[in-house]
Amino acid sequence: MSIDLQNHHGPLIGILAGKGKNQSVIGNGPFFRELQREILKNGGISVVFTPDDIKEKTIAGVIYSPELDKWTPVTCPIPHIVFNRVPTRNLESTESFHKAFLFFQRRNIPFFNPGFLDKYSLFEWFSHDPILQPFLPDTIKITERTAFLRFLERYKTIYLKPAQGAKGVGIYKLCQQNNQTVVLFSLKDKHIFKDIQTFWKEWEQPLLEKNYIAQESVKPALIRGKRYDFRILAHFTEEGYQVTGAGIRQSGDQEITTHVLNGGCIIPYEDIQMEDHDQFFALVAERAGKILSKELGFFGEFSIDAGLSEDGKYVIYEINSKPMRFDEISIEKKRISSLVHLFIHLANRENLPSNNP
């Protein structure tokens, strides 16, 4: 099937990507190709473009042809809906991105997922919600020595996370021993400090400069002696926010993160599925989606990193506004289908979600 943009009458879906140093479009190419295949099956068409490609009445971008397995440069009308897949926080912080956001906002064009999330802002929003608050580990923003020392003294074991980090990068586990020795665990090694003052003297600058948070360490439930987390995918539907799929990620040699890129492994959710888990997933997806859309603007897709403590309590660790690919083929296939259904739905300007949780 060749693509004739001039005679195409279905909805035009814009996928906002980034621009690299050599002016080439950067983003998740395989993901964009899968979306295009499904969009074409549903009567639409997608164009990938960057914030710098927007003109007053047109955009310049590239369109993927599955038949030719080729990307073709095009100039086309303003899309009916824009899916934000700008790949990095740095690119989202540029003036051109903010101008692009305002461009579509002023034209009342749905802007699907406003941007990356800040971990501490997320904690503040959720902690004010009576339904989600009980699932949150205690968390503080690291801004000065006294409050940080008090937090470590209270919990003895805490996690240090960059508020704007992703994929488990920059996460540490900090433990205060009975002899006041402090041990810092990274993904690959550990460092021992004679006391917390020594640790703070060395780490104050990076913790403050990179906007770290400190989070209570929750003793996790184990499978075969190792911790595991839930990874839950959610989308907005005509019935509200719903769970699209769920997977299990188990830690490898280190216990800091279960990310597969850091040695974690995949366990089929069906191995431990139970009604209580399903009800928790559905509750968090519905509440989190409404709160995110209220605070930042419409969220159509996000994933949830959650877990279970050793005493059987559910924990929300993180929300991801731009989920990575799910390794479970059935979930990823359903994800593509759910996204395209939502694109077509929103392109018709119908039933945008309420901003009231």
Side-chain angles (χ1 to χ4, degrees):
M1 179 186 64
S2 61
I3 297 174
D4 182 1
L5 187 60
Q6 296 296 324
N7 295 311
H8 187 86
H9 301 294
L12 178 61
I13 313 301
I15 300 177
L16 188 61
K19 186 160 285 187
K21 293 180 180 178
N22 61 355
Q23 298 302 299
S24 62
V25 176
I26 57 174
N28 191 333
F31 180 44
F32 299 164
R33 292 194 290 270
E34 286 300 312
L35 285 173
Q36 174 74 317
R37 290 187 182 99
E38 188 69 17
I39 289 168
L40 289 169
K41 289 178 186 177
N42 286 268
I45 192 169
S46 64
V47 57
V48 178
F49 67 104
T50 77
D52 296 329
D53 298 327
I54 303 170
K55 308 301 180 186
E56 187 61 30
K57 295 184 178 180
T58 61
I59 60 169
V62 291
I63 285 183
Y64 175 70
S65 168
E67 182 187 63
L68 303 175
D69 190 23
K70 179 181 177 183
W71 293 93
T72 303
V74 296
T75 298
C76 58
I78 303 301
H80 297 98
I81 176 176
V82 176
F83 182 32
N84 176 18
R85 289 296 300 194
V86 171
T88 68
R89 292 180 186 270
N90 284 340
L91 287 172
E92 269 196 1
S93 67
T94 61
E95 183 181 359
S96 61
F97 175 83
H98 290 294
K99 284 183 177 179
F101 178 81
L102 291 173
F103 177 90
F104 295 113
Q105 187 181 55
R106 290 182 184 127
R107 286 158 179 77
N108 196 31
I109 293 172
F111 194 86
F112 192 108
N113 281 27
F116 288 101
L117 297 172
D118 178 279
K119 290 180 176 62
Y120 190 69
S121 295
L122 198 69
F123 171 77
E124 288 189 309
W125 298 330
F126 286 8
S127 64
H128 288 104
D129 182 79
I131 295 175
L132 296 184
Q133 190 277 330
F135 303 129
L136 302 176
D138 194 10
T139 302
I140 62 167
K141 188 174 183 178
I142 301 176
T143 58
E144 51 89 22
R145 177 178 175 274
T146 303
F148 175 74
L149 298 189
R150 191 183 305 124
F151 193 80
L152 179 62
E153 181 68 28
R154 178 179 181 183
Y155 292 110
K156 303 300 183 184
T157 300
I158 61 176
Y159 281 96
L160 306 176
K161 301 179 178 182
Q164 298 183 334
K167 302 178 183 178
V169 176
I171 293 180
Y172 299 92
K173 189 175 183 179
L174 189 67
C175 303
Q176 187 175 40
Q177 311 293 325
N178 290 333
N179 64 359
Q180 299 306 307
T181 299
V182 173
V183 184
L184 181 73
F185 295 91
S186 68
L187 292 174
K188 295 182 179 180
D189 50 28
K190 68 178 180 180
H191 302 273
I192 301 175
F193 303 84
K194 67 176 183 179
D195 53 35
I196 187 60
Q197 286 77 17
T198 306
F199 167 81
W200 181 257
K201 184 177 180 180
E202 183 173 328
W203 276 81
E204 176 184 10
Q205 185 174 351
L207 290 176
L208 297 182
E209 285 183 353
K210 296 182 180 180
N211 296 316
Y212 265 75
I213 62 170
Q215 189 174 83
E216 165 195 4
S217 175
V218 176
K219 287 189 176 181
L222 306 177
I223 296 178
R224 295 185 287 276
K226 293 186 176 182
R227 67 167 293 171
Y228 66 94
D229 293 336
F230 303 116
R231 189 168 175 229
I232 307 144
L233 181 64
H235 290 94
F236 180 76
T237 73
E238 289 93 331
E239 288 76 40
Y241 288 96
Q242 295 191 342
V243 173
T244 304
I248 302 295
R249 301 293 181 267
Q250 187 177 35
S251 65
D253 294 333
Q254 50 76 31
E255 294 288 310
I256 295 177
T257 175
T258 60
H259 285 89
V260 174
L261 294 174
N262 294 316
C265 66
I266 299 165
I267 296 176
Y269 173 56
E270 292 72 23
D271 286 3
I272 64 167
Q273 185 172 11
M274 56 190 295
E275 187 175 347
D276 284 352
H277 294 345
D278 292 340
Q279 290 177 351
F280 168 71
F281 298 166
L283 174 66
V284 174
E286 190 268 338
R287 293 301 297 174
K290 286 186 174 181
I291 291 171
L292 289 172
S293 290
K294 176 177 181 290
E295 296 292 342
L296 293 174
F298 175 58
F299 270 74
E301 176 187 58
F302 57 92
S303 66
I304 306 159
D305 292 342
L308 194 66
S309 69
E310 67 174 2
D311 56 356
K313 296 179 180 179
Y314 291 107
V315 186
I316 299 172
Y317 293 118
E318 196 167 329
I319 304 289
N320 304 296
S321 61
K322 298 182 184 182
M324 294 188 295
R325 178 183 178 86
F326 270 71
D327 294 290
E328 295 89 344
I329 295 175
S330 61
I331 297 178
E332 189 64 16
K333 185 175 180 180
K334 191 174 180 184
R335 176 194 186 188
I336 296 294
S337 176
S338 297
L339 280 170
V340 173
H341 180 82
L342 184 52
F343 292 157
I344 304 299
H345 179 66
L346 292 179
N348 293 326
R349 309 297 180 89
E350 295 175 356
N351 303 322
L352 277 173
S354 165
N355 281 343
N356 297 315

